[in-house]
């Protein structure tokens, strides 16, 4: 399987679409971030961005792992490369999990870079701030890896069923439209039932606002960033179980498929 992974990585290095999508999504994140900084007038702390605005901007990043997975798992169906790999002695298990591993690692790492890049820049330029602690933010971002991996597993399954990378890529647009159209609904009913709602749950910070008695300062907003043990366990359990189920089901489907 090592040879398959090397061949896939070599092929991906020549893929301009992945680079274009990654740069485009990253630029989109920073374009929106610049708008938020301009709106605030006095700069923007990293903790303020995470607590108040990351939920609205997080779904831009989901374009990348879905497109990445579609290309890794579905690109070979267009030119029948998978058939050549089978004829050269590789098993379907090796072929499937080679692409699944690359999709999971590459998709998750790329998405985390896109998500955390604005936070790093804000921390350097304006500082961290006091809205939430670094520890609380790190815990939430670490947990966010799990629903991202879960979404990638679902995309792996979907790609092997439809055998077309472009249909998988189109689903990224559907995810984006749903997040815009029903983002408020997802936010109010954030649960671990879906990958999207799990991410909404992890990026939602309860807040309370107040003013001083003489109203001589701006509104003071306090955020609650602590997650309960039940929330953490439910995110871990649901992401691992559902992601693993889709990954295994995709393998069984590919194992029995005639590849016509």
């Amino acid at each position: 399987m090592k040879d398959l992974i090397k061949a896939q990585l070599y092929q991906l290095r020549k893929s301009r679409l992945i680079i274009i999508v990654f740069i485009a999504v990253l630029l989109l994140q920073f374009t929106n971030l610049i708008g938020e900084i301009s709106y605030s007038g006095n700069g923007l702390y990293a903790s303020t961005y995470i607590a108040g605005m990351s939920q609205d901007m997080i779904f831009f990043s989901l374009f990348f792992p879905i497109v990445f997975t579609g290309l890794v798992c579905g690109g070979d169906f267009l030119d029948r490369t998978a058939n050549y790999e089978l004829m050269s002695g590789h098993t379907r298990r090796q072929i499937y999990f080679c692409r699944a591993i690359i999709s999971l690692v590459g998709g998750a790492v790329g998405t985390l870079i896109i998500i955390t890049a604005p936070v790093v820049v804000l921390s350097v330029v304006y500082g961290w701030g006091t809205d939430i602690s670094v520890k609380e933010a790190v815990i939430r971002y670490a947990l966010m890896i799990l629903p991202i991996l879960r979404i990638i597993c679902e995309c792996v399954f979907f790609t092997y069923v439809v055998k077309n990378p472009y249909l998988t890529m189109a689903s990224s647009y559907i995810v984006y439209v749903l997040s815009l159209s029903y983002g408020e609904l997802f936010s109010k009913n954030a649960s671990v039932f879906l990958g999207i709602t799990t991410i909404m749950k992890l990026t939602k910070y309860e807040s309370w606002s107040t003013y001083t008695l003489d109203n001589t300062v701006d509104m003071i907003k306090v955020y609650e960033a602590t997650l309960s043990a039940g929330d953490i366990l439910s995110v871990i359990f649901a992401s691992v179980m559902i992601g693993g189920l889709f990954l295994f089901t995709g393998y069984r489907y590919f194992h029995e498929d005639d590849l016509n």
Side-chain angles (χ1 to χ4, degrees):
M1 192 164 72
K2 185 184 297 184
D3 293 336
L4 286 174
I5 293 177
K6 288 181 179 179
Q8 277 293 306
L9 292 177
Y10 175 77
Q11 189 174 348
L12 288 174
R13 284 198 295 268
K14 297 164 54 177
S15 176
R16 293 184 178 180
L17 181 57
I18 291 177
I19 298 174
I20 291 172
V21 170
F22 179 82
I23 294 175
V25 175
L26 193 59
L27 288 176
L28 190 59
Q29 286 278 66
F30 278 103
T31 300
N32 282 273
L33 181 62
I34 291 171
E36 294 294 341
I37 294 173
S38 300
Y39 178 77
S40 65
N42 298 319
L44 184 66
Y45 292 122
S47 61
T48 305
Y49 163 78
I50 293 174
M53 282 152 283
S54 63
Q55 189 175 76
D56 297 330
M57 300 168 68
I58 198 74
F59 287 100
F60 293 130
S61 64
L62 293 181
F63 274 107
F64 176 75
I66 296 176
V67 171
F68 184 82
T69 302
L71 284 175
V72 172
C73 294
D76 292 337
F77 285 114
L78 300 179
D79 57 12
R80 300 294 182 178
T81 304
N83 289 343
Y84 297 136
E85 291 173 343
L86 286 171
M87 289 186 291
S88 65
H90 296 290
T91 66
R92 294 200 181 201
R93 180 174 182 174
Q94 291 173 329
I95 294 171
Y96 177 84
F97 283 104
C98 161
R99 286 160 174 77
I101 290 171
I102 293 174
S103 298
L104 289 167
V105 175
V109 170
T111 306
L112 281 177
I113 292 174
I114 293 170
I115 292 173
T116 58
V119 178
V120 173
V121 171
L122 286 175
S123 298
V124 173
V125 177
Y126 297 106
W128 180 261
T130 58
D131 288 306
I132 62 174
S133 70
V134 175
K135 178 181 177 180
E136 291 166 336
V138 168
I139 290 174
R140 292 201 179 220
Y141 274 106
L143 286 172
M144 206 181 303
I145 296 174
L146 295 175
I148 290 172
L149 291 174
R150 169 181 164 182
I151 291 173
I152 293 173
C153 288
E154 293 167 355
C155 289
V156 170
F157 165 79
F158 182 74
T159 304
Y160 273 96
V161 170
V162 300
K163 300 185 182 69
N164 189 311
Y166 300 111
L167 288 178
T168 302
M169 294 177 198
S171 67
S172 65
Y173 179 75
I174 296 174
V175 169
Y176 176 61
V177 170
L178 287 175
S179 67
L180 288 180
S181 302
Y182 301 102
E184 185 176 352
L185 178 62
F186 288 156
S187 179
K188 291 180 179 179
N189 301 280
S191 68
V192 295
F193 184 71
L194 298 173
I196 295 178
T197 55
T198 303
I199 293 176
M200 292 294 287
K201 186 181 187 71
L202 293 173
T203 54
K204 181 180 180 180
Y205 294 81
E206 297 293 342
S207 63
W208 295 266
S209 303
T210 185
Y211 292 89
T212 58
L213 293 177
D214 56 4
N215 290 335
T216 57
V217 297
D218 293 333
M219 179 178 63
I220 299 172
K221 183 171 283 190
V222 179
Y223 292 96
E224 174 56 58
T226 304
L227 291 170
S228 67
D231 288 335
I232 294 175
L233 290 175
S234 63
V235 168
I236 295 174
F237 180 79
S239 298
V240 172
M241 292 299 294
I242 297 176
L245 178 62
F246 272 97
L247 197 63
F248 176 76
T249 305
Y251 167 68
R252 293 306 306 171
Y253 183 90
F254 178 63
H255 187 268
E256 302 296 333
D257 192 20
D258 57 10
L259 297 181
N260 289 328

